[in-house]
Every structure is written in structure tokens, then in C-alpha cells.
Amino acid sequence: MNEFLHILSQPDNLPIAGMLLAVLALLGVWLRQALRNDRLLRDERASDIGEEMRR
Amino acid sequence: MTERLSDDPNPTPLRDTPPPRGIWRQLVRSIFRHRYEDTPRNRMLQITSNVFLHLHPPTVARHGLRLRYTWAMGGLSFLTYLVTVVTGVWLMFYYRPTAEHAYIDMKNLEHEIPFGMLMRNMHRWAAHAMVIVVWIHMLRVFLAGAYKSPREFNWAVGVVLLTLTMLLSFTGYLLPWDQLARWAVTVGTNMAAATPFLGHQGPGAELTGVTDRTDFRALLLGGPQVGGAAILRFYVLHCIFLPIVITVLMIVHFWRVRKDGGISGPPPELGGVIGPSDTTGGGPA
């Protein structure tokens, strides 16, 4: 694990490591949005999804 | 010698023609062809009669302006591309793509040329950023379902643009001509040697008869290993061929975004609103 972190923190590898973290973080943001949309569908408020995404 | 302006039987010679009244006004009006009153008509005219403003649509869907919906990744991709183009052209003035000069020129850029370090690092980090934001842009588009009708064609164009971005990154990697560049490209092009049918180590090579001197890897490198021919080929690919192709495809990409109705959003049955009440800018699309 230490060797992996050592390789990951090399200057030339920082961009790709940053990209992996950014993709994971943004995937989380969109999954939260998807859960909110699913909750609206479950509550039979499908027509509110557009408004929810415009907030 | 005078020139006839029309079929007037008594033409006025050009040199005797008095300048029209308010020539500066006429000059300005020839460039800015409409007034500035804030009306829906003028807003649309300003957009449609100017080639640069015409890149933007006269109306934009409200959800398309939400940062948490778009992440602004399409615009950031274009911005990072512009930064790499401007800094890349600047670097071309100081860089010679030969095995003899490439590394020295790169070092001179870092330590001798005014602003060389700044421009080289701007180019490098903008290139890294471009790869990252293009991938995240693709992720956002996929999660928003923007690959569905009517945007299938633009999705395919976007996938090609993503591939070209990776190729730009790969071809630029060799140009510093240091150990990291040479061995990274050696590894990368060795994968090309294993391409089915086209690489001499790949499956089907015996059918096509390719050798280490005639396969896809040799085409990329201009020889059996990374050398002077390779750096020139990668330079031409990086600075001329790939930028031209990616620019043309970006124009198509942006144009299709407009023609497909702007940024995708929820359909009307899910509360998506299509029309002036869902747009900013006031004028018709």
C-alpha cells in the first residue's frame, strides 16, 4: 500500500490520481441527484423532477 | 481615369465624391448593424449577425445554466483546448523536433527563454486538465442520458473527440525527449505492435504478413524503435494533423448541440419545460 501511495504521489501521476478522485466525487453528486429523482417518482411527483433539476 | 458608379449619364468621378456625412457613424454601423435597445428583437439580431456571438444560442434552457447540472465541463474542455493551442503555438517558436535538439530546446525553454517555464507549464497542465475535464464531461453527458435520441450522432462525435484528446496527450508526451518520454512512448507503441492484424506481435499477423518494419508500430515510429523519425512524426501529428481534425470535429460538435435543442434536460412528462418560459434571453430560439 505504501508503494502504491508513493507511486500515486509522484508529480507525473498526480493528474491521473486527481482525475480518479474527481470522477468518484462527481459520480457521488449525480447519484445523490438520481436518488432524489427516484424519491420524487416513488412519491408520484414525477412532474417535479424538472423543477428539482433547475434549482 | 475615372470609374463609373452606375449607369448615370453624368457620373461623378470617385476622387471628387465628397465623403458622406457622419462617415464614422457609417463605419461603426457597418460593423455593429443594430441598435442597443434591450428588446427581444435586438438581442436576437446581435447574436445572429455576429459570427463570434453566433456561437452562443439566442436562448438557453434554464437547467443548462445550472452548474450542478452541467458542471461546466463542456465549456472547460474548450477553454483548456484554447489554452493548449495558444501556449503550444508559442512553444513551437522555440522547439526543434529532432533527436539532436529537442531535449536541449526543452531545457532552454525552462531556464533561458523569458516566460518559457510559465508557458511550458501552462501547456502541460492545461493538457492534463483537458484530459480530465473531457472525461468528466463524457461522464456527465452519459449520466444525463444525452446519448439518446436526438443526440446519438453528437454522442458519437464526442467519443471521437475524447479519443483524439487522448491521442493529442500521447503524441505530446514524447516531445520533451527525456527518459520518461522515450520509455513511455516505447511502452505505448509496443502495444501497437500487438494490434490484431496490424501489429507483428498481434493475432492474425501471419495472415497479413506484417513484420516489425512494416506494421502499425513501425508506421507510428518511422522505424523499429523510438528515434529521430518518431519524434518528427509525433510532432507533426501533435501540432498539425490532430489539432486540425479535432478543431473540425469540435465545430461539428458545437453546431450539433445547437441543432439538437441545446443541452439535454428532463422530458416534459418529468417536468421539463420546452419553450420561452424555460429559457433566458427572451428571444425565440
Side-chain angles (χ1 to χ4, degrees):
Chain A
M1 188 64 183
N2 280 343
E3 284 182 14
F4 177 70
L5 289 176
H6 177 70
I7 292 169
L8 210 61
S9 60
Q10 292 300 300
D12 214 55
N13 293 333
L14 279 179
I16 193 80
M19 186 177 87
L20 292 175
L21 291 176
V23 165
L24 285 176
L26 291 169
L27 199 57
V29 170
W30 264 72
L31 285 176
R32 280 182 61 200
Q33 177 71 60
L35 286 174
R36 278 199 292 270
N37 290 353
D38 281 354
R39 205 170 296 133
L40 288 170
L41 285 173
R42 191 189 60 203
D43 298 343
E44 297 182 347
R45 292 170 55 202
S47 59
D48 290 343
I49 288 179
E51 190 57 39
E52 158 71 22
M53 298 190 78
R54 278 191 292 276
R55 271 200 304 122
Chain B
M1 182 78 184
T2 59
E3 184 179 332
R4 289 172 67 89
L5 293 175
S6 66
D7 291 326
D8 188 343
N10 299 310
T12 306
L14 270 182
R15 64 170 180 270
D16 295 336
T17 305
R21 291 176 65 186
I23 191 166
W24 290 111
R25 185 169 176 271
Q26 187 181 350
L27 183 66
V28 170
R29 188 55 63 82
S30 72
I31 300 170
F32 304 103
R33 301 175 191 189
H34 37 75
R35 296 172 183 278
Y36 280 94
E37 284 88 355
D38 187 13
T39 64
R41 176 180 163 76
N42 274 346
R43 281 199 292 267
M44 191 180 73
L45 282 174
Q46 289 197 21
I47 294 291
T48 54
S49 63
N50 182 299
V51 68
F52 299 108
L53 293 178
H54 194 58
L55 290 172
H56 287 282
T59 58
V60 179
R62 239 177 245 290
H63 68 266
L65 297 175
R66 306 305 299 172
L67 189 60
R68 69 173 201 161
Y69 183 76
T70 65
W71 303 341
M73 285 298 151
L76 281 177
S77 304
F78 186 50
L79 176 69
T80 50
Y81 172 74
L82 290 181
V83 172
T84 52
V85 168
V86 171
T87 55
V89 169
W90 193 91
L91 293 175
M92 286 171 75
F93 286 114
Y94 299 102
Y95 178 84
R96 287 166 289 181
T98 63
E100 185 185 358
H101 297 109
Y103 183 74
I104 302 290
D105 288 350
M106 186 266 290
K107 283 295 172 194
N108 278 339
L109 267 165
E110 286 191 342
H111 301 295
E112 302 289 337
I113 311 288
F115 302 108
M117 179 79 91
L118 175 71
M119 297 305 267
R120 180 166 182 252
N121 278 325
M122 278 182 68
H123 190 75
R124 183 179 180 84
W125 285 101
H128 282 314
M130 184 176 165
V131 171
I132 292 171
V133 297
V134 167
W135 271 107
I136 295 175
H137 177 55
M138 193 201 75
L139 175 70
R140 199 284 299 172
V141 167
F142 177 76
L143 291 174
Y147 52 85
K148 298 174 189 170
S149 177
R151 297 179 174 82
E152 308 97 317
F153 176 73
N154 216 19
W155 166 261
V157 172
V159 171
V160 176
L161 283 170
L162 172 71
T163 309
L164 290 172
T165 302
M166 303 306 291
L167 286 174
L168 272 172
S169 181
F170 181 65
T171 51
Y173 212 80
L174 181 67
L175 302 186
W177 202 237
D178 52 11
Q179 288 294 317
L180 183 67
R182 291 188 67 168
W183 292 109
V185 170
T186 299
V187 171
T189 50
N190 276 344
M191 286 191 253
T195 310
F197 301 105
L198 298 177
H200 74 279
Q201 294 171 340
E206 63 280 1
L207 292 175
T208 50
V210 291
T211 67
D212 63 339
R213 293 185 176 275
T214 58
D215 68 350
F216 187 54
R217 178 173 170 274
L219 179 72
L220 273 176
L221 296 181
Q225 63 185 6
V226 178
I231 194 170
L232 182 60
R233 288 186 183 207
F234 274 53
Y235 180 78
V236 173
L237 285 172
H238 187 75
C239 300
I240 297 173
F241 180 75
L242 291 173
I244 288 174
V245 176
I246 206 168
T247 302
V248 170
L249 284 179
M250 278 199 300
I251 292 168
V252 175
H253 197 60
F254 300 161
W255 175 72
R256 280 309 318 175
V257 170
R258 294 274 300 275
K259 292 297 171 188
D260 291 340
I263 292 171
S264 65
E269 62 269 24
L270 294 181
V273 184
I274 309 297
S277 63
D278 190 34
T279 58
T280 64

